[in-house]
Amino acid sequence: MIRLYIIGIAILIIAILANGIILKLGIKSWYDFIALLNHEGSSAFRQLSILDYLWLFIGYPLVLGCGYWIGDSIHKLIKN
Protein backbone atom coordinates (compact mmCIF):
# COMPACT_ATOMS: atom_id res chain seq x y z
CA MET A 1 0.00 0.00 0.00
CA ILE A 2 2.82 2.41 0.82
CA ARG A 3 4.34 1.65 -2.61
CA LEU A 4 1.19 2.88 -4.38
CA TYR A 5 1.12 5.99 -2.21
CA ILE A 6 4.74 6.88 -3.00
CA ILE A 7 4.17 6.29 -6.72
CA GLY A 8 1.00 8.41 -6.61
CA ILE A 9 2.79 11.28 -4.89
CA ALA A 10 5.63 11.11 -7.44
CA ILE A 11 3.19 11.19 -10.36
CA LEU A 12 1.32 14.10 -8.78
CA ILE A 13 4.49 16.14 -8.27
CA ILE A 14 5.71 15.40 -11.80
CA ALA A 15 2.30 16.34 -13.27
CA ILE A 16 2.23 19.65 -11.39
CA LEU A 17 5.76 20.49 -12.54
CA ALA A 18 5.01 19.47 -16.14
CA ASN A 19 1.83 21.57 -16.24
CA GLY A 20 3.71 24.57 -14.87
CA ILE A 21 6.47 24.22 -17.46
CA ILE A 22 4.14 23.83 -20.44
CA LEU A 23 2.10 26.78 -19.25
CA LYS A 24 5.26 28.92 -19.40
CA LEU A 25 6.06 27.52 -22.86
CA GLY A 26 2.57 28.26 -24.19
CA ILE A 27 1.69 24.64 -24.95
CA LYS A 28 -1.87 23.47 -24.34
CA SER A 29 -2.51 21.26 -21.34
CA TRP A 30 -5.37 18.81 -20.95
CA TYR A 31 -7.20 21.47 -18.92
CA ASP A 32 -6.87 23.95 -21.80
CA PHE A 33 -7.94 21.33 -24.32
CA ILE A 34 -11.06 20.37 -22.34
CA ALA A 35 -11.96 24.04 -21.88
CA LEU A 36 -11.58 24.53 -25.64
CA LEU A 37 -13.82 21.53 -26.31
CA ASN A 38 -16.48 22.90 -23.98
CA HIS A 39 -16.32 26.33 -25.59
CA GLU A 40 -15.64 25.53 -29.25
CA GLY A 41 -16.93 21.99 -29.66
CA SER A 42 -15.35 19.91 -32.41
CA SER A 43 -13.65 22.95 -33.96
CA ALA A 44 -11.28 22.90 -30.95
CA PHE A 45 -9.24 20.23 -32.73
CA ARG A 46 -8.33 22.74 -35.46
CA GLN A 47 -7.05 25.23 -32.89
CA LEU A 48 -4.30 22.94 -31.62
CA SER A 49 -0.82 23.02 -33.10
CA ILE A 50 1.27 19.96 -33.92
CA LEU A 51 3.32 20.72 -30.80
CA ASP A 52 0.13 20.65 -28.69
CA TYR A 53 -0.82 17.26 -30.13
CA LEU A 54 2.69 15.87 -29.58
CA TRP A 55 2.66 17.04 -25.99
CA LEU A 56 -0.85 15.83 -25.16
CA PHE A 57 -0.64 12.38 -26.73
CA ILE A 58 3.07 11.52 -26.52
CA GLY A 59 4.92 13.84 -24.14
CA TYR A 60 2.50 14.00 -21.23
CA PRO A 61 1.97 10.21 -20.97
CA LEU A 62 5.75 9.71 -21.11
CA VAL A 63 6.32 12.30 -18.39
CA LEU A 64 3.70 10.69 -16.16
CA GLY A 65 5.27 7.31 -16.83
CA CYS A 66 8.58 8.76 -15.64
CA GLY A 67 6.74 9.88 -12.50
CA TYR A 68 5.70 6.26 -11.95
CA TRP A 69 9.28 5.09 -12.48
CA ILE A 70 10.64 7.71 -10.05
CA GLY A 71 8.06 6.74 -7.41
CA ASP A 72 8.81 3.06 -7.83
CA SER A 73 12.56 3.75 -7.58
CA ILE A 74 12.07 5.77 -4.40
CA HIS A 75 10.03 2.92 -2.90
CA LYS A 76 12.77 0.41 -3.74
CA LEU A 77 15.38 2.68 -2.09
CA ILE A 78 13.28 3.00 1.05
CA LYS A 79 12.48 -0.72 1.14
CA ASN A 80 16.13 -1.77 0.94
Side-chain angles (χ1 to χ4, degrees):
M1 187 65 157
I2 191 76
R3 177 178 175 264
L4 291 177
Y5 180 73
I6 292 170
I7 290 170
I9 293 293
I11 293 172
L12 177 63
I13 291 169
I14 295 297
I16 291 169
L17 291 172
N19 283 321
I21 291 169
I22 64 161
L23 181 65
K24 294 286 184 186
L25 295 175
I27 301 171
K28 297 272 190 287
S29 69
W30 282 108
Y31 305 109
D32 299 328
F33 179 62
I34 291 169
L36 258 170
L37 276 177
N38 285 335
H39 189 264
E40 301 291 328
S42 63
S43 67
F45 290 99
R46 287 175 266 161
Q47 296 181 17
L48 296 176
S49 70
I50 293 296
L51 187 58
D52 294 329
Y53 280 111
L54 288 174
W55 168 251
L56 290 172
F57 293 101
I58 296 172
Y60 197 61
L62 284 173
V63 167
L64 294 182
C66 288
Y68 172 89
W69 178 77
I70 290 168
D72 193 44
S73 298
I74 290 170
H75 177 262
K76 285 177 185 174
L77 284 174
I78 292 171
K79 189 174 113 178
N80 292 334

